[in-house]
Structure formats: C-alpha cells, structure tokens
Amino acid sequence: MIEDIFSGETNLSMTERAVSVALGLGIAAAAAQPRPNKLLSLAALVVGVGLAVRGATGHCAVKAVTAGGGRDLTA
C-alpha cells in the first residue's frame, strides 16, 4: 500500500517540495521535545514525517487525486 501511495510521477514544484521538507522536519523536531501530552507529540511527529516524505518524493497522492489525474483509491 505504501508503494502505491508514493509511486507515480512527481506532481509538486521545487518550491512545494522545499516548503514541505522544511515544515515537515520542523514539525517533527518540535514533536521530539518532551511534552506532557504524548498523543499530541505523536500526532505532530506523524504529520511532520508525512510532509517531509511528500517533499522528498515529490509526489502528493492527495494532489494527484484532486487534480483529476489520479485513480480511484476506493476500489
């Protein structure tokens, strides 16, 4: 399933990729700080890693589906 999500042609510009990587790493780094709410830290870590991977691969599955160039993921 993960290979299906991140496979495909790149559909992000270099600016979108750079912003995604920078924000993702920043959010993940902030999540690594000790906090009283562990669930919030975990959620921030997941979001940060997701953004960083999106920027590193250059492919956004959500953008591909909403742009009409994607395939139906419900099948």
Side-chain angles (χ1 to χ4, degrees):
M1 170 100 183
I2 290 179
E3 293 171 2
D4 291 340
I5 293 172
F6 294 114
S7 63
E9 62 188 46
T10 57
N11 59 357
L12 298 176
S13 69
M14 286 305 289
T15 303
E16 289 173 311
R17 292 178 75 171
V19 169
S20 287
V21 169
L23 283 176
L25 293 177
I27 292 170
Q33 301 296 321
R35 306 233 186 266
N37 189 344
K38 302 293 184 194
L39 189 59
L40 186 60
S41 293
L42 179 64
L45 182 63
V46 168
V47 169
V49 169
L51 280 171
V53 169
R54 173 186 186 260
T57 62
H59 178 75
C60 179
V62 174
K63 187 174 182 178
V65 170
T66 58
R71 57 186 171 82
D72 185 14
L73 297 177
T74 59

